[in-house]
């Protein structure tokens, strides 16, 4: 489809323009709102000073949880990794933004055993810097600084994670009743997408092997599957595993386990059931040993070790299958110092490590990295940044001096224009009004198209939305592609001589805004903010635009509620927008009984020729939505007010680079 340009018409006086701010709430973000003053405090944060404090912490050792090898660095890499590794592309949930590892359910996950100690060690630093240093940012800074401190490559750190006040956004990750409804995993260990891992409570796979069976071939299949659910390809997967396992060790001193998690023993979680419970007596994963002979230095020995030795499986001291250099091979196993520095310990591998030499594609990458430290370093630095940043969304959500240049996974857009370079909006509005006046159905098409792209925004990883104009790249597999195509073709009738500064995405939203206002004389004034820019080519970002609710027969009330919870809108707001965009008659919906039509898909009124979609039917029949619909039907004022606020929010939820404040030059203020 062609980009669109708009006819330049005579400049128009904007007096009486109806697109004004109705109130502050019409554009305030509800989702992931930072605490007041957070960004100001973050901009004043001295990241170098935080890093110095972290370096001092790495070199210390608290007898309550002594560091391994006199270095806490590896511990914080694990913390940052496990905070980030919960991210999944299915719905953008998980990740370290929000710092939810401090709360259940995540803090009690098996894979987060003993990370309460890592967070305690960081508490004095958090308290020292306060508001400007969020927990999420601190975790990622700690892990990334640890890599740097041990000679590893990094790209930098994107800061600006906004701490959640509780763990509720991780409830769908499980283990919870809500997860059982939305994403059941009948056999824990064989979970599938939308869950990120094979096992609820783990980040990826059971490292011992599928369902605890030390089968490296099947393990490689699972590793590939779960990393793909986190948007990682083979190279990134191998780089991350090898980079992570260049550092530190696993802990499984004896078979008696780590003790009870925080949700079962709040006072003294994971007390450790072996000996002193700490240091060389620690139990975390139940496996025991380091992967390389120098576990506090970044190198590619992990890959060399995988290739240079024969590995045989045995039960380690923690009672789980792990791998050691085969005793019948001629080589003697390399050893590392023991964690307390008083002896030595042989290196080991986990089944998931051995899987990397039991799969052709992985083996090739392992060989490359074993022979080429630079290539490994480059891939690891990029993969680590992606792992820890992917859930942050567009690069415009990153703050601070340490943000690297935009990466492909952030689907970067052209820079936001200066407000002086924006088109003369009055002219554009006039053009849109003329199209609406001279084309039957154009107004409805514009409202629908703007809502179609706006509702793809998800406030989990901040993908989707109208910004970027990627909706023009959708193909016929997209549920509303016909309607979108017709809106685009109507707008293209204005293409002759549009101001070059007008972006397709701004035009589409403005057309929807103008159309909604002119079709609803009693609607409170709508505010429009411009400054969206268009992705220049199909960068793959549109694949995240696919709506999860299609009005199809498989949709249900739980899925609808889940989609709404990620939309940045309240349920009434979402219902108002859905109603307006689909020209749904609320009285008809409330006053008729509907049944599934024989032709499938739609529902038909029992006594009238009225058809509604499955989503409409859910709104009518599901108690929680039904009361919203009834309220709206009985009070048109409430409906109109809710709709106006919702429209303003939905159209701007994905705009992070534009000042949306009351006096913003990007917005119509007349
Ligand atoms: C995986 O992605 C990285 C980063 O974009 C790229 O360098 C690498 O070639 C990709 N690997 C594969 C196997 O596609
Ligand atoms: C050990 O070395 C001998 C002599 O070099 C060789 O014949 C044998 O195959 C080696 N064994 C293993 C398991 O590598």
């Amino acid at each position: 489809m062609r980009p669109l340009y708009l006819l330049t018409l005579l400049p128009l006086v904007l007096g009486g323009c109806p697109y004004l701010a109705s109130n502050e709430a019409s554009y305030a973000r509800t989702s992931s709102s930072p605490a007041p003053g957070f960004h100001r405090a973050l901009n004043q944060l001295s990241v170098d000073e935080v890093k110095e404090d972290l370096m001092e912490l790495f070199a210390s050792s608290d007898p309550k949880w002594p560091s391994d090898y006199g270095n806490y660095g590896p511990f914080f890499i694990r913390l940052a990794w496990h905070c980030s590794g919960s991210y999944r592309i299915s719905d953008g949930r998980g990740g370290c933004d929000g710092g939810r590892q401090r709360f259940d359910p995540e803090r009690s996950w098996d894979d987060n055993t003993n990370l309460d100690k890592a967070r305690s060690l960081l508490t004095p630093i958090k308290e020292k810097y306060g508001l400007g240093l969020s927990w999420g940012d601190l975790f990622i800074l700690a892990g990334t600084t640890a890599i740097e401190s041990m000679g590893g490559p990094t790209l930098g750190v994107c800061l600006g994670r906004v701490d959640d006040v509780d763990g509720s956004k991780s409830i769908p990750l499980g283990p919870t009743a809500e997860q059982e409804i939305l994403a059941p995993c009948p056999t824990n260990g064989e979970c599938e997408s939308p869950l990120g891992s094979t096992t609820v409570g783990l980040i990826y796979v059971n490292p011992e092997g599928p369902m605890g069976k030390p089968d490296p071939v099947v393990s490689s299949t699972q590793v590939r599957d779960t990393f793909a659910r986190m948007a990682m390809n083979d190279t990134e997967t191998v780089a991350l595993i090898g980079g992570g396992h260049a550092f530190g060790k696993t802990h499984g001193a004896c078979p008696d386990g780590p003790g009870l998690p925080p949700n079962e023993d709040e006072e003294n979680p994971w007390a450790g059931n072996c000996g002193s419970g700490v240091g060389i007596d620690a139990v975390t994963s139940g496996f025991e040993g380091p992967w390389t002979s120098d576990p506090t230095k970044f190198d590619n020995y992990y890959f060399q070790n995988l290739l240079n030795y024969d590995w045989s499986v045995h039960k380690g001291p923690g009672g789980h299958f792990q791998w050691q250099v085969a005793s019948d091979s001629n080589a003697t196993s390399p050893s590392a110092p023991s964690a307390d520095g008083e002896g030595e310990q042989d290196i080991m591998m986990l089944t998931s490590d051995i899987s990397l030499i039991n799969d052709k594609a992985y083996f090739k990458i392992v060989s490359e990295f074993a022979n080429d430290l630079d290539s490994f370093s480059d891939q690891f630095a990029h993969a680590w940044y992606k792992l820890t940043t992917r859930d942050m969304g567009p690069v415009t959500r990153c703050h601070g001096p340490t943000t690297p240049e935009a990466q492909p996974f952030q689907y970067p857009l052209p820079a936001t224009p200066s407000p002086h370079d924006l088109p003369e909006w009055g002219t554009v509005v006039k053009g849109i009004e003329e199209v609406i006046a001279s084309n039957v159905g154009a107004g409805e098409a514009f409202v629908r198209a703007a809502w179609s792209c706006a509702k793809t925004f998800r406030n989990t990883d901040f993908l989707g939305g109208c910004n970027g104009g990627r909706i023009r790249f959708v193909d016929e597999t997209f549920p509303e592609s016909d309607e979108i195509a017709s809106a685009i073709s109507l707008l293209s009738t204005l293409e002759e001589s549009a101001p070059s500064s007008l972006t397709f995405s701004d035009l589409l939203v403005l057309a929807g805004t103008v159309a909604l206002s002119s079709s609803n004389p009693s609607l409170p004034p709508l505010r429009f903010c411009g400054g969206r820019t268009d992705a220049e080519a199909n960068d793959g970002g549109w694949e995240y635009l696919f709506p999860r609710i299609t009005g199809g027969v498989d949709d249900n009330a739980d899925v609808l509620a889940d989609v709404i919870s990620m939309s940045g809108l309240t349920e009434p707001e979402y219902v108002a927008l859905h109603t307006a965009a689909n020209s749904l008659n609320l009285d008809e919906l409330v006053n008729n009984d509907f049944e599934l039509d024989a032709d499938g898909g739609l529902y038909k009124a029992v006594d009238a020729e009225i058809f509604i979609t499955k989503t409409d039917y859910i709104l009518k029949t599901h108690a929680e939505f039904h009361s919203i619909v009834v309220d709206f039907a009985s009070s048109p004022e409430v409906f109109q007010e809710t709709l106006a606020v919702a429209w303003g929010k939905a159209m701007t939820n994905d705009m992070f680079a534009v000042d949306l404040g009351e006096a913003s030059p990007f917005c119509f203020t007349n």
Side-chain angles (χ1 to χ4, degrees):
M1 282 165 220
R2 288 173 296 175
L4 300 163
Y5 301 96
L6 209 74
L7 200 64
T8 308
L9 301 165
L10 288 175
L12 219 118
V13 181
L14 277 176
C17 171
Y19 314 104
L20 306 179
S22 50
N23 56 46
E24 180 78 16
S26 69
Y27 54 89
R29 288 195 189 103
T30 49
S31 60
S32 307
S33 289
F38 169 61
H39 286 130
R40 204 174 332 119
L42 172 54
N43 289 334
Q44 285 160 8
L45 180 73
S46 167
V47 179
D48 287 340
E49 209 182 315
V50 180
K51 284 176 138 186
E52 275 168 35
D53 289 349
L54 285 168
M55 299 285 281
E56 208 172 292
L57 174 63
F58 299 160
S60 71
S61 190
D62 181 343
K64 279 189 281 180
W65 190 260
S67 60
D68 297 331
Y69 317 111
N71 190 335
Y72 279 126
F75 195 27
F76 290 116
I77 294 174
R78 176 168 168 253
L79 174 74
W81 186 314
H82 286 209
C83 191
S84 310
S86 56
Y87 172 79
R88 59 197 198 183
I89 49 172
S90 58
D91 55 14
R93 285 198 168 103
C96 205
D97 189 15
R100 287 180 303 278
Q101 203 197 59
R102 295 165 296 146
F103 308 111
D104 281 319
E106 282 191 58
R107 71 170 180 161
S108 296
W109 282 7
D110 283 349
D111 247 354
N112 293 335
T113 301
N114 287 325
L115 288 177
D116 58 318
K117 283 91 175 174
R119 295 190 296 270
S120 297
L121 288 165
L122 290 176
T123 301
I125 297 181
K126 168 61 190 158
E127 284 169 356
K128 176 175 170 186
Y129 294 94
L131 180 64
L133 180 61
S134 67
W135 278 107
D137 281 350
L138 178 54
F139 297 156
I140 301 306
L141 256 181
T144 306
T145 307
I147 292 170
E148 289 167 4
S149 76
M150 293 183 282
T154 66
L155 297 190
V157 186
C158 153
L159 298 176
R161 287 167 193 78
V162 177
D163 285 338
D164 287 356
V165 294
D166 58 32
S168 54
K169 284 194 194 156
S170 292
I171 285 174
L173 306 183
T176 56
E178 289 85 343
Q179 167 251 315
E180 283 297 320
I181 292 169
L182 283 170
C185 176
T187 310
N188 201 22
E190 294 176 353
C191 308
E192 291 175 0
S193 179
L195 292 171
S197 64
T198 62
T199 311
V200 175
L202 298 185
I203 306 298
Y204 301 99
V205 297
N206 182 345
E208 192 171 12
M211 308 294 285
K213 231 180 104 218
D215 180 337
V217 177
V218 182
S219 179
S220 68
T221 313
Q222 286 200 344
V223 170
R224 177 167 291 114
D225 173 37
T226 62
F227 272 83
R229 291 186 229 165
M230 297 165 180
M232 297 294 179
N233 70 21
D234 282 359
T235 320
E236 293 164 324
T237 302
V238 175
L240 281 172
I241 295 175
H245 292 178
F247 302 113
K249 68 185 286 285
T250 56
H251 300 82
C254 82
D256 297 340
L260 297 174
N263 60 1
E264 291 174 49
D265 185 353
E266 174 94 37
E267 288 298 300
N268 193 17
W270 291 309
N273 294 334
C274 306
S276 69
V278 304
I280 57 167
D281 291 334
V283 180
T284 295
S285 59
F287 306 102
E288 178 57 44
W291 292 266
T292 74
S293 44
D294 198 349
T296 56
K297 185 171 160 284
F298 181 81
D299 52 37
N300 58 352
Y301 291 157
Y302 170 85
F303 301 110
Q304 296 182 13
N305 291 342
L306 274 176
L307 297 178
N308 290 349
Y309 301 97
D310 292 331
W311 293 92
S312 67
V313 69
H314 72 122
K315 279 246 163 110
H320 290 289
F321 288 117
Q322 56 183 69
W323 299 68
Q324 62 189 356
V325 172
S327 55
D328 60 352
S329 74
N330 291 343
T332 49
S333 176
S335 59
S338 63
D340 62 2
E342 301 198 349
E344 292 203 327
Q345 183 173 31
D346 285 350
I347 62 167
M348 59 95 224
M349 292 284 168
L350 305 170
T351 301
S352 49
D353 298 307
I354 299 298
S355 85
L356 301 182
I357 48 172
N358 281 275
D359 171 275
K360 270 198 187 127
Y362 284 154
F363 183 87
K364 226 180 117 205
I365 301 166
V366 168
S367 307
E368 181 195 330
F369 289 165
N371 291 314
D372 187 346
L373 180 60
D374 289 342
S375 158
F376 168 48
S377 297
D378 182 54
Q379 288 290 346
F380 176 69
H382 283 88
W384 175 261
Y385 182 65
K386 179 173 168 181
L387 169 74
T388 53
T389 315
R390 171 81 198 209
D391 66 319
M392 284 291 283
V395 70
T396 44
R397 288 194 71 248
C398 297
H399 291 257
T402 53
T403 306
E405 64 175 341
Q407 301 292 308
F409 72 84
Q410 296 172 311
Y411 303 111
L413 291 174
T416 304
S418 137
H420 309 292
D421 295 333
L422 291 174
E424 215 290 304
W425 294 120
T427 315
V428 184
V429 168
K430 182 89 194 314
I432 292 167
E433 284 171 345
E434 288 178 2
V435 174
I436 294 173
S438 51
N439 294 277
V440 177
E444 287 90 337
F446 292 161
V447 172
R448 277 183 73 92
W451 172 234
S452 278
C453 62
K455 77 178 170 189
T456 63
F457 173 73
R458 54 192 202 188
N459 69 4
T460 49
D461 60 1
F462 307 94
L463 292 173
C466 292
N467 202 3
R470 294 189 175 90
I471 199 100
R472 69 199 192 284
F473 299 127
V474 303
D475 61 21
E476 67 285 351
T477 58
F478 196 80
E480 288 158 354
S481 58
D482 285 351
E483 285 108 320
I484 292 159
S486 77
I488 290 175
S489 111
L490 282 165
L491 289 172
S492 72
T493 61
L494 299 167
E495 78 179 346
E496 296 294 282
S497 53
S500 61
S501 55
L502 180 63
T503 58
F504 166 76
S505 41
D506 271 351
L507 174 61
L508 187 68
V509 172
L510 183 55
T513 307
V514 170
L516 186 63
S517 268
S518 51
S519 68
N520 288 275
S522 49
L523 193 67
L526 298 179
R527 184 182 200 242
F528 171 82
C529 295
R532 294 168 193 80
T533 56
D534 294 338
E536 276 148 16
N538 186 359
D539 54 9
W542 74 270
E543 285 159 33
Y544 297 96
L545 300 183
F546 273 83
R548 287 174 59 213
I549 279 281
T550 60
V553 281
D554 296 333
D555 297 337
N556 64 49
D558 293 315
V559 176
L560 180 60
D562 185 51
V563 166
I564 296 174
S565 76
M566 293 185 284
S567 68
L569 302 165
T570 63
E571 289 186 346
E573 287 166 353
Y574 194 99
V575 171
L577 288 164
H578 173 87
T579 303
N582 295 294
S583 310
L584 191 61
N585 184 315
L586 288 167
D587 289 324
E588 285 179 2
L589 187 66
V590 170
N591 296 328
N592 283 286
D593 289 327
F594 291 85
E595 56 189 19
L596 189 57
D597 194 45
D599 293 337
L602 294 177
Y603 287 72
K604 183 185 170 301
V606 176
D607 301 319
E609 285 297 301
I610 300 169
F611 293 87
I612 60 172
T613 65
K614 179 73 191 276
T615 305
D616 305 334
Y617 186 72
I618 292 168
L619 297 185
K620 178 179 170 64
T621 51
H622 194 266
E624 139 191 29
F625 296 114
H626 179 75
S627 66
I628 297 171
V629 171
V630 169
D631 285 351
F632 284 165
S634 63
S635 173
E637 302 75 38
V638 171
F639 171 71
Q640 302 283 10
E641 265 162 42
T642 308
L643 176 60
V645 169
W647 184 268
K649 271 203 223 172
M651 298 302 143
T652 54
N653 266 338
D654 60 349
M655 296 173 75
F656 304 105
V658 168
D659 165 19
L660 301 171
E662 208 165 347
S664 168
F666 289 94
C667 306
F668 283 24
T669 53
N670 200 14

